[in-house]
């Protein structure tokens, strides 16, 4: 079974001819599902997408500016599902994502603008993961699920990483030294396991109790500006100064 998906959108608007916004979304995916026999199947997915926006702000002539931003996301996922009998179902596979962020340049807009030019730089990274999980139903009223996912993230060059005075604000006045990395060089490598488990008790055909536990690691962050009148969301990767956070989620529910 083959699925092909494509998407494109473009939006533009201005406010009182003083502030202009434009947004573009592009995406595509190919998904292939193959069943080898009644108990074994595979799924392969390829995804490519990009999002960019640009804005010009001329509300105050002396501080008018323009800025553009872009993120590219390319991903591959593969999994195998094996169900030897009605009680067991096993899944395993992996994924890889390449992030490319062009955070853009804030530039003065108009001859009277005294805005200082600021290059926010580019970021590159690869997130990869391997996983295995199993669902087991020993009796009709009980289902047990357990799995582990091992994820990793590599921050890649080119980039110049600045080191700052310990305990001081990270700005141009507290830089003590810097390290330059070439294109494709590994700057940071973060990795670790992510465990997950759940139990589903069926009290009656219409009632059940569910318990679950999950670990997660986050390598990509969305930055939102709540003061802007229009969306200006950006994304930021983990780096030398932003270590990926870990979360632990417990839940119990009656359904």
């Amino acid at each position: 079974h083959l699925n092909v998906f494509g998407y494109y959108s473009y939006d533009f608007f201005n406010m009182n001819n003083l502030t202009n916004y434009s947004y573009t979304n592009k995406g595509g995916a190919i998904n292939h599902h193959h069943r080898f026999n009644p108990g074994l199947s595979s799924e392969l997915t390829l995804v490519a997408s990009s999002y960019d926006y640009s804005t010009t702000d001329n509300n105050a002539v002396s501080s008018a500016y323009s800025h553009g931003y872009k993120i590219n996301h390319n991903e591959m996922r593969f999994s195998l599902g094996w169900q030897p009998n009605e009680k067991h179902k096993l899944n395993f596979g992996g994924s890889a994502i390449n992030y490319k962020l062009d955070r853009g340049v804030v530039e003065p807009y108009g001859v009277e603008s005294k805005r200082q030019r600021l290059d926010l730089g580019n970021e590159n990274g690869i997130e990869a993961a391997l996983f295995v999980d199993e669902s087991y139903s020993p009796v009709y009223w009980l289902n047990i699920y357990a799995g582990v996912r091992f994820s990793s993230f590599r921050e890649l060059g080119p980039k110049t990483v600045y080191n700052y005075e310990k305990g001081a604000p990270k700005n141009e006045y507290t830089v003590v030294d810097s390290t330059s990395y070439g294109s494709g060089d590994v700057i940071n490598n973060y990795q670790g396991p992510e465990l997950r488990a759940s139990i589903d008790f069926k009290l009656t055909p219409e009632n059940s109790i569910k318990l679950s536990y999950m670990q997660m690691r986050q390598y990509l962050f969305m930055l939102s500006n709540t003061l802007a009148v229009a969306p200006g969301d950006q994304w930021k990767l983990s780096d030398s100064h932003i270590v990926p956070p870990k979360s632990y989620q417990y839940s119990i529910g009656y359904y």
Side-chain angles (χ1 to χ4, degrees):
H1 186 77
L2 183 68
N3 268 322
V4 179
F5 166 81
Y7 179 84
Y8 174 84
S9 71
Y10 173 77
D11 297 279
F12 172 83
F13 67 95
N14 70 73
M15 299 179 61
N16 301 322
N17 294 318
L18 295 175
T19 307
N20 297 315
Y21 299 92
S22 65
Y23 306 89
T24 303
N25 282 283
K26 292 179 286 186
I30 299 175
N31 176 270
H32 180 261
H33 183 272
H34 180 72
R35 185 172 295 279
F36 298 95
N37 57 53
L40 181 64
S41 63
S42 69
E43 187 164 339
L44 173 66
T45 303
L46 304 175
V47 180
S49 67
S50 70
Y51 164 78
D52 64 82
Y53 78 85
S54 63
T55 180
T56 60
D57 189 321
N58 197 30
N59 283 280
V61 175
S62 62
S63 60
Y65 70 92
S66 64
H67 176 229
Y69 174 91
K70 184 174 185 178
I71 177 173
N72 288 321
H73 172 127
N74 299 296
E75 181 175 359
M76 179 178 68
R77 298 192 301 265
F78 178 76
S79 64
L80 282 172
W82 180 46
Q83 188 168 1
N85 53 57
E86 294 181 355
K87 295 183 177 181
H88 288 273
K89 186 175 182 180
L90 181 69
N91 294 294
F92 51 92
S95 65
I97 305 173
N98 176 223
Y99 300 108
K100 291 187 177 181
L101 282 64
D102 181 355
R103 304 190 64 210
V105 179
V106 179
E107 299 196 68
Y109 183 74
V111 294
E112 298 181 45
S113 176
K114 297 187 171 45
R115 189 88 178 208
Q116 294 295 312
R117 187 180 187 274
L118 177 62
D119 188 344
L120 299 177
N122 294 278
E123 298 185 9
N124 299 286
I126 295 178
E127 179 182 344
L130 295 172
F131 76 90
V132 58
D133 61 57
E134 182 178 11
S135 180
Y136 176 51
S137 298
V139 290
Y140 76 92
W141 51 267
L142 176 64
N143 184 73
I144 302 171
Y145 167 86
V148 60
R149 179 178 182 267
F150 188 88
S151 68
S152 67
F153 176 77
R154 288 189 173 189
E155 182 192 9
L156 304 176
K159 187 177 183 180
T160 299
V161 177
Y162 296 97
N163 296 317
Y164 302 90
E165 295 177 17
K166 188 174 181 180
K170 293 179 174 60
N171 56 44
E172 59 188 55
Y173 304 108
T174 60
V175 174
V176 293
D177 61 29
S178 64
T179 305
S180 295
Y181 296 88
S183 179
D185 290 348
V186 177
I187 303 172
N188 289 290
N189 187 10
Y190 300 107
Q191 58 190 3
E194 301 172 2
L195 305 177
R196 52 204 62 188
S198 67
I199 300 176
D200 182 0
F201 297 94
K202 289 184 174 60
L203 305 177
T204 71
E206 293 82 24
N207 299 271
S208 65
I209 294 177
K210 298 180 181 181
L211 301 89
S212 69
Y213 168 75
M214 181 182 295
Q215 295 178 355
M216 289 175 285
R217 296 170 185 265
Q218 183 176 353
Y219 306 110
L220 179 70
F221 312 91
M222 186 173 75
L223 310 177
S224 297
N225 183 355
T226 57
L227 298 178
V229 295
D233 295 335
Q234 298 185 23
W235 282 261
K236 177 78 180 70
L237 294 173
S238 294
D239 58 22
S240 302
H241 304 293
I242 303 177
V243 176
K246 295 180 288 184
S247 68
Y248 306 88
Q249 177 178 295
Y250 304 83
S251 69
I252 181 171
Y254 169 74
Y255 299 82

